[in-house]
Amino acid sequence: MSPAAPTFLVLFLEPIRRYLEDDDISEILINGPASVYIERGGKLHATDAAFASEPALRAAAANIAKSVGRTLDDAHPQLDARLPDGSRVHAVVPPLSRCGTVVAIRKFKRETLDADKLLEYGSISPDGLALLRTVVAMHKNVMVSGGTSSGKTSVLNVLSSFIAPDERVLVLEDASELQLQQEHVVSFETRKPDAHGKGGITIRDLIFSALRLRPDRLVIGEIRGGEALDLLQALNTGHAGSMSTIHANAPLECLFRLETCALLSGIDIPLAALRAQVASAVDVVVHTARLPDGSRKIVAVSEVMPLEGGNYRLRELMAWRTDRRADDGRLEGAFETKDEPTFAAQARQLGLLPGP
Ligand SMILES: Nc1ncnc2c1ncn2[C@@H]1O[C@H](COP(=O)(O)OP(=O)(O)OP(=O)(O)O)[C@@H](O)[C@H]1O
Ligand SMILES: [Mg+2]
């Protein structure tokens, strides 16, 4: 954050300045004035950094809020903001937080991951990457699932880079993170309600507009609520090739999570009907994980099959297998190619997959 951060902010953030300036550190987590953790190389480390007092920390957090035109005080005890340089900040003040002001800063990485980087970091195999290219080229609808900070958005960014340059892509996000390189990209961002709770624009509202703006593809940053139902309906009415991310701990859980989110829309829809919608809307689940050694990988690619007896069925196309833990702590293993996708023959006809 530091190069673009206003000087007064840097002043307030002096105790953590060295972490803000260190590009190897991806997150800074402050749990009250005397407890600061950092994430380096995918792993959390405690530090000896400390703020002078709780009021000093709270003032720093309030100033971050102020710098982006927001308020953090007793009446507005939570802040979710993006700083001008792209860093994301979430803060909560006492008494909601029990240990003093709590702040999480996700630093903006100037360098976004591309397909080559995923290979270089061992996050996917060349075959896995070829599979994902095929999935996107064939206009399959993709959900990227995974835990917090597992690399979902980064993978979505890579998937979106496989979209052909002549397609019209509509991007909807809560906070702009994706960086699509194509020519014909139209991006939208939601808006938080003002201090009186007015004027908020949600992903649901943006989907309403997007569907009327002739999209070839919808790319939605993250599904976390009722917008899931709008997305499912859009996908089932012919917006093939759309993609999004969702928080889930396993590929199958991703589908259940979509159901739960769709139910949050408040629209009454029988579970059986909803499940049928999910199964027909989502073609492929790409599951990401942060492994115990700190590495982030695409640990599974699964195809969503038709319901069987009202239950979801997944066909595993690719999966990471951990073999052993090396002396240096790194996990060794391999990406295994599993079943062929049901669309393999068609992909070969189109020249999108090499012959058998
Ligand atoms: N394959 C990868 N290898 C190494 N680092 C990665 C990889 N993917 C993502 N990262 C880094 O991990 C952090 C989190 O990535 P990202 O924002 O994509 O995760 P996320 O799952 O979308 O997080 P959130 O749950 O907050 O939405 C970023 O700093 C990103 O640069
Ligand atoms: Mg994300």
Side-chain angles (χ1 to χ4, degrees):
M1 166 160 73
S2 65
T7 0
F8 73 93
L9 267 190
V10 174
L11 207 68
F12 275 105
L13 296 172
E14 187 58 40
I16 55 165
R17 183 176 185 159
R18 65 196 135 133
Y19 308 128
L20 291 168
E21 288 172 353
D22 184 341
D23 279 343
D24 289 341
I25 292 172
S26 47
E27 279 185 67
I28 305 168
L29 307 166
I30 305 167
N31 320 313
S35 168
V36 177
Y37 285 78
I38 53 167
E39 190 193 84
R40 192 195 293 271
K43 291 204 141 191
L44 284 181
H45 304 274
T47 70
D48 53 10
F51 285 78
S53 61
E54 167 58 22
L57 170 57
R58 182 152 170 169
N63 274 295
I64 293 177
K66 206 165 158 195
S67 76
V68 289
R70 308 270 296 286
T71 315
L72 182 70
D73 57 17
D74 289 340
H76 312 91
Q78 294 164 291
L79 170 75
D80 194 48
R82 190 165 55 100
L83 301 185
D85 74 338
S87 299
R88 272 163 48 176
V89 177
H90 193 88
V92 183
V93 297
L96 300 187
S97 53
R98 306 297 300 273
C99 54
T101 298
V102 171
V103 184
I105 301 174
R106 155 88 50 92
K107 286 169 63 186
F108 181 72
K109 269 231 172 115
R110 264 156 293 278
E111 156 207 74
T112 43
L113 294 180
D114 56 14
D116 290 340
K117 281 267 157 44
L118 285 187
L119 280 178
E120 187 189 321
Y121 293 164
S123 301
I124 193 168
S125 63
D127 287 349
L129 209 51
L131 172 64
L132 295 184
R133 273 184 202 280
T134 306
V135 162
V136 174
M138 294 191 71
H139 284 252
K140 298 296 172 191
N141 293 321
V142 184
M143 289 302 299
V144 181
S145 66
T148 303
S149 190
S150 57
K152 302 180 293 297
T153 302
S154 305
V155 167
L156 182 63
N157 205 44
V158 170
L159 290 176
S160 70
S161 72
F162 299 153
I163 296 175
D166 58 349
E167 297 189 62
R168 176 168 161 89
V169 188
L170 268 70
V171 181
L172 318 183
E173 290 181 277
D174 277 318
S176 288
E177 289 185 292
L178 297 168
Q179 304 191 354
L180 274 75
Q181 303 301 326
Q182 285 84 347
E183 191 114 311
H184 200 160
V185 174
V186 190
S187 301
F188 298 89
E189 202 176 276
T190 57
R191 187 173 69 191
K192 296 231 162 30
D194 64 16
H196 309 288
K198 295 256 161 51
I201 296 293
T202 64
I203 289 279
R204 297 197 73 177
D205 300 322
L206 293 180
I207 293 178
F208 175 84
S209 283
L211 292 179
R212 287 155 185 79
L213 292 169
R214 199 214 164 271
D216 282 328
R217 311 231 194 193
L218 290 180
V219 176
I220 303 183
E222 186 176 351
I223 296 293
R224 40 175 133 220
E227 66 273 11
L229 187 62
D230 305 79
L231 175 68
L232 291 174
Q233 282 168 352
L235 299 185
N236 281 325
T237 52
H239 292 281
S242 297
M243 46 185 84
S244 186
T245 74
I246 194 163
H247 189 286
N249 293 321
L252 193 59
E253 200 187 296
C254 155
L255 304 178
F256 289 120
R257 181 99 186 99
L258 268 174
E259 283 177 5
T260 311
C261 288
L263 290 171
L264 292 174
S265 68
I267 295 171
D268 209 12
I269 174 165
L271 190 59
L274 189 54
R275 195 155 286 187
Q277 281 212 32
V278 171
S280 73
V282 183
D283 298 312
V284 173
V285 177
V286 176
H287 190 68
T288 59
R290 189 169 42 157
L291 300 185
D293 64 352
S295 67
R296 290 173 168 95
K297 292 191 196 305
I298 294 179
V299 292
V301 180
S302 303
E303 184 177 351
V304 182
M305 307 299 284
L307 291 179
E308 205 172 74
N311 293 314
Y312 292 121
R313 264 187 324 133
L314 288 176
R315 181 182 175 104
E316 201 164 54
L317 309 182
M318 195 212 80
W320 164 259
R321 182 195 71 220
T322 300
D323 291 334
R324 62 184 283 271
R325 202 177 177 122
D327 294 340
D328 61 3
R330 265 187 323 109
L331 294 177
E332 292 178 354
F335 292 99
E336 294 180 301
T337 304
K338 303 276 199 167
D339 288 336
E340 273 219 317
T342 57
F343 47 86
Q346 200 193 349
R348 286 200 187 93
Q349 278 170 1
L350 296 169
L352 296 170
L353 273 182

